[in-house]
Amino acid sequence: MSTGDSASGPVRRAGRARGRVLDELVAGLGPITAEDLAARLPEVHVSSVYRALAVLEEEGVVAHVHLGHGPAVYQLAEEADAVRHLVCDVCGLDVVVPSGVFSPLRRRLERDYGFVLDADHFAVVGRCVACARATRRHPG
Amino acid sequence: MSTGDSASGPVRRAGRARGRVLDELVAGLGPITAEDLAARLPEVHVSSVYRALAVLEEEGVVAHVHLGHGPAVYQLAEEADAVRHLVCDVCGLDVVVPSGVFSPLRRRLERDYGFVLDADHFAVVGRCVACARATRRHPG
DNA sequence: CTCATTGCAAACGATTTGCAGAGAT
DNA sequence: ATCTCTGCAAATCGTTTGCAATGAG
């Protein structure tokens, strides 16, 4: 019970990929996909980007969100905390809103169904103002 | 403006796949994936199942929902109308709730952000009662 | 030296597509 | 006969994984 950290896992050794990926995220590019990250880091292979992101997520430094049909986007966990994503299924626009907007639904789902909403891992899908307007079956 | 239905598309000809797929859905299996559908129809290729489903959706007979990480599930549009899906990200359980549960959020998003929520195309993700309980980091 | 980390290619699951042939009207 | 539909194989997209080489401690 002294050296045995039950869930400590392997000893982490800083390699090039992890550092570069974190640097990019810290540079504040906002939500970005693994592929876009790899595109900015010619020295780092896409698969290494995914692996680096996985480790960083495990450490709680990074978090990812699935935006509707598109690929997942990554971000510093601290930046992701207070917001939720509304993604337009038509144009892909990502509308970021304060997480508080979901509190009433969250409470209701939890009380009535025991379901704990995780609105920060998957975006909520719909249509943005512009696309909603355009979608009203061709006025006329 | 007589014979020219602006968006009528190609003349549909009933083929084996489309009929079989629709039969299965009418048989009331509830939400089912394209692959499961294909598995029940040895005479129909998966790709034909997807194509049949696409046509049926275009006609408004069928609708599909994306359940979190898993594949999309298909259902008769009329059966899908009144419900929303809460999917557990841990065990995959699909909790079906009346669509009314989302009305307050829907109204708020529309009023405050002009965003039209489409809660029937993508499930809302979280943890079911059992998994939520189990997730509270190993009590003890 | 040892073990984590990386690169690369190949595997993956879900879905789509090109093409030639079978089938419906 | 015409034009849609189907089967099959191959391609796609996003992501994961096996394996051997590299590198950090």
Side-chain angles (χ1 to χ4, degrees):
Chain A
M1 299 167 189
S2 48
T3 52
D5 291 31
S6 44
S8 54
V11 176
R12 302 296 181 193
R13 301 182 193 189
R16 74 204 64 90
R18 197 134 75 227
R20 299 282 155 71
V21 166
L22 186 51
D23 286 349
E24 287 294 301
L25 291 175
V26 169
L29 307 162
I32 185 173
T33 68
E35 301 226 326
D36 286 351
L37 233 17
R40 291 174 184 252
L41 301 170
E43 299 288 312
V44 183
H45 191 95
V46 203
S47 68
S48 298
V49 169
Y50 278 107
R51 278 194 270 231
L53 288 169
V55 171
L56 291 170
E57 254 193 286
E58 219 178 87
E59 294 175 344
V61 179
V62 163
H64 75 270
V65 194
H66 297 279
L67 298 186
H69 287 112
V73 294
Y74 296 78
Q75 201 178 309
L76 291 181
E78 56 175 29
E79 290 176 359
D81 246 18
V83 300
R84 297 298 177 255
H85 300 263
L86 311 179
V87 58
C88 177
D89 205 20
V90 178
C91 70
L93 179 69
D94 180 15
V95 181
V96 174
V97 307
S99 61
V101 174
F102 286 83
S103 300
L105 175 66
R106 188 185 185 68
R107 277 192 291 271
R108 178 156 183 195
L109 293 182
E110 200 155 348
R111 181 164 58 215
D112 295 357
Y113 306 94
F115 189 90
V116 180
L117 180 63
D118 187 10
D120 53 318
H121 187 196
F122 275 85
V124 159
V125 173
R127 265 149 290 140
C128 67
V129 208
C131 292
R133 216 163 259 150
T135 299
R136 280 170 200 147
R137 313 175 197 69
H138 309 225
Chain B
M1 296 174 180
S2 46
T3 52
D5 291 29
S6 44
S8 54
V11 176
R12 301 296 180 192
R13 301 185 191 187
R16 74 201 66 91
R18 200 136 73 227
R20 299 282 155 72
V21 167
L22 186 51
D23 286 348
E24 287 294 302
L25 292 175
V26 169
L29 307 162
I32 184 172
T33 68
E35 300 226 327
D36 286 351
L37 232 18
R40 291 176 184 253
L41 301 170
E43 297 289 311
V44 182
H45 192 96
V46 204
S47 68
S48 297
V49 169
Y50 277 107
R51 277 194 271 232
L53 287 169
V55 171
L56 291 169
E57 252 191 288
E58 219 179 87
E59 294 176 344
V61 179
V62 163
H64 76 270
V65 193
H66 297 280
L67 297 187
H69 288 110
V73 293
Y74 296 77
Q75 204 178 335
L76 290 181
E78 56 175 27
E79 291 175 358
D81 247 19
V83 300
R84 296 298 178 257
H85 299 262
L86 312 179
V87 58
C88 178
D89 206 19
V90 179
C91 70
L93 179 69
D94 179 16
V95 181
V96 175
V97 307
S99 60
V101 174
F102 287 83
S103 299
L105 174 66
R106 188 185 185 70
R107 278 192 289 272
R108 179 157 183 193
L109 293 182
E110 200 155 349
R111 181 164 59 218
D112 295 357
Y113 306 94
F115 189 89
V116 179
L117 179 62
D118 186 10
D120 53 319
H121 188 194
F122 276 85
V124 159
V125 173
R127 265 150 289 139
C128 68
V129 207
C131 293
R133 216 163 260 152
T135 300
R136 277 168 202 149
R137 313 175 196 69
H138 311 226

